[in-house]
Amino acid sequence: MRRVKTIPYEEMFSQFHRVLTATGFDGDDTDTLARVFADNSRDGVPSHGLNRFPGFIRDVQSGRVDLAARAAPVAALGAMEQWDGHRGPGVLNGMASMGRAIELARQYTVGAVALRNTSHWMRAGAYGMLAADAGCIGICWTNTSRLMPPYGGLDKRLGNNPLVMAIPRPDGDHVLLDMAMTQFSGGRMGIHARTGEPFPVPGGYDRDGQLTTDAGAIERALPIGHWKGSGLALCLDLVAALLSGGQTTTQISRQDNEAGVSQVYLAFDLSRLGEAESIAASVQDTLTELASGEALPGEQVTWPGQRSAGKGRAALRDGVPVEWEFWEEVLAL
């Protein structure tokens, strides 16, 4: 049975910080990792926050993630740079890569960092938010190991290759699209599999090759938009690998575990493109018009990122909802 309780945000951050310090991290790296994992849970993405934290610690302890390795530039190509992650912590590599893309955007209007040989970056939206907080449009994506079949097939050949787009807003409630190429993310499939709650629409194929809403029965996830998601996943994979000089999903999947993935980070500095008030007004006008449309019965019209922002504010006020088994596992680390 799934037991859910609430934990104060600062307590969650503190416990993450404690475990990370004991594991060997120090200084700003410890603060960054603890904050990202806590923020992910705060914003309603525990699958890449609390629930994923014990696994991350095990990956570091086993050497699958190199605690001491950090991403570093290997080629400077004007507004674009290639970096190598050296299989270090994916969160730290991702923050450094998007941070550098923002610096390049300050100089060139657009900045790009193509990162190879890195590890899982947890919640993809964290890097879009970093760009948006800096007043930049942020776009980033990663490839993964094989997680879904291409359109028309049953064998896993494609990654779910999450894609992020973030548009800044002055109040901090940024527009944030954070989506996998599967109909439902792996994290959400895990939650539904534990609770037994069915999906509202089919999320993948069962062992007999039939589409199903039962997360526990899904063996091959369904691409979004069928052929469209299939094609987009393939192109994101190839572009990330080619720009970074890294591995494709096919090459990653020949290893024992998902490691050495390829990623792209793009930042566009809006301050070089127009007046801040005019840009903000255009975004607000669009969102107001969007929300004014008639909603379906029982539904609410929202823009990407609106619900996670609301969850974040509620969690800071009332506590972060946690599945107790994962929280107890962190306390025992």
Side-chain angles (χ1 to χ4, degrees):
M1 182 177 179
R2 184 170 177 250
R3 294 183 297 158
V4 178
K5 298 187 177 183
T6 57
I7 298 297
Y9 173 87
E10 291 301 328
E11 181 179 350
M12 176 175 285
F13 174 88
S14 177
Q15 288 294 338
F16 287 162
H17 200 282
R18 174 188 63 80
V19 175
L20 289 162
T21 300
T23 304
F25 292 99
D26 57 23
D28 291 341
D29 290 345
T30 310
D31 293 340
T32 297
L33 285 166
R35 176 176 54 79
V36 169
F37 276 102
D39 286 356
N40 292 351
S41 289
R42 176 200 67 192
D43 294 345
V45 193
S47 59
H48 292 78
L50 169 66
N51 299 11
R52 193 74 179 242
F53 185 79
F56 170 73
I57 297 299
R58 288 191 293 269
D59 283 345
V60 172
Q61 293 172 335
S62 69
R64 285 191 293 269
V65 172
D66 188 341
L67 181 152
R70 298 293 182 271
V74 293
L77 307 165
M80 173 183 160
E81 294 182 356
Q82 279 186 335
W83 284 41
D84 191 318
H86 300 108
R87 305 208 177 192
V91 170
L92 298 179
N93 287 349
M95 286 292 177
S97 296
M98 182 56 89
R100 180 54 180 161
I102 293 167
E103 290 176 353
L104 290 168
R106 299 286 190 235
Q107 181 178 359
Y108 297 104
T109 305
V110 57
V113 171
L115 175 67
R116 64 174 178 255
N117 200 27
T118 191
S119 60
H120 199 295
W121 63 356
M122 303 303 152
R123 180 195 179 195
Y127 313 100
M129 291 290 284
L130 180 65
D133 285 343
C136 293
I137 291 174
I139 301 174
C140 56
W141 68 93
T142 184
N143 62 9
T144 70
S145 59
R146 293 172 176 172
L147 295 171
M148 69 180 189
Y151 176 70
L154 285 175
D155 294 331
K156 296 177 183 178
R157 292 292 183 267
L158 298 172
N160 67 356
N161 303 345
L163 170 67
V164 168
M165 293 186 181
I167 296 92
R169 300 181 68 221
D171 62 2
D173 282 359
H174 309 307
V175 178
L176 178 66
L177 176 68
D178 179 352
M179 56 179 285
M181 294 301 109
T182 47
Q183 180 66 47
F184 297 100
S185 68
R188 187 171 177 187
M189 283 194 282
I191 291 173
H192 279 253
R194 291 195 299 276
T195 63
E197 180 185 358
F199 287 132
V201 296
Y205 302 94
D206 62 18
R207 67 175 58 188
D208 298 320
Q210 300 299 311
L211 288 172
T212 179
T213 59
D214 180 359
I218 292 175
E219 296 196 355
R220 294 172 295 273
L222 180 69
I224 59 168
H226 298 275
W227 55 89
K228 296 178 182 179
S230 176
L232 184 54
L234 175 64
C235 290
L236 289 171
D237 172 33
L238 291 175
V239 172
L242 294 175
L243 290 182
S244 67
Q247 297 187 106
T248 65
T249 286
T250 296
Q251 295 163 332
I252 295 165
S253 300
R254 291 173 180 155
Q255 305 165 150
D256 293 334
N257 62 299
E258 183 179 281
V261 299
S262 304
Q263 299 172 346
V264 174
Y265 299 82
L266 302 173
F268 299 82
D269 185 359
L270 288 176
S271 69
R272 297 171 62 93
L273 296 172
E275 295 294 329
E277 293 79 6
S278 176
I279 291 172
S282 292
V283 174
Q284 185 57 51
D285 183 43
T286 299
L287 298 182
T288 300
E289 179 70 14
L290 178 79
S292 68
E294 183 178 0
L296 291 169
E299 296 289 342
Q300 180 183 1
V301 178
T302 58
W303 37 264
Q306 186 176 6
R307 293 183 182 182
S308 63
K311 289 179 180 178
R313 286 190 293 270
L316 289 176
R317 182 185 66 244
D318 304 325
V320 183
V322 302
E323 290 185 71
W324 200 247
E325 61 182 287
F326 292 104
W327 182 243
E328 288 184 322
E329 188 175 359
V330 169
L331 295 179
L333 286 172

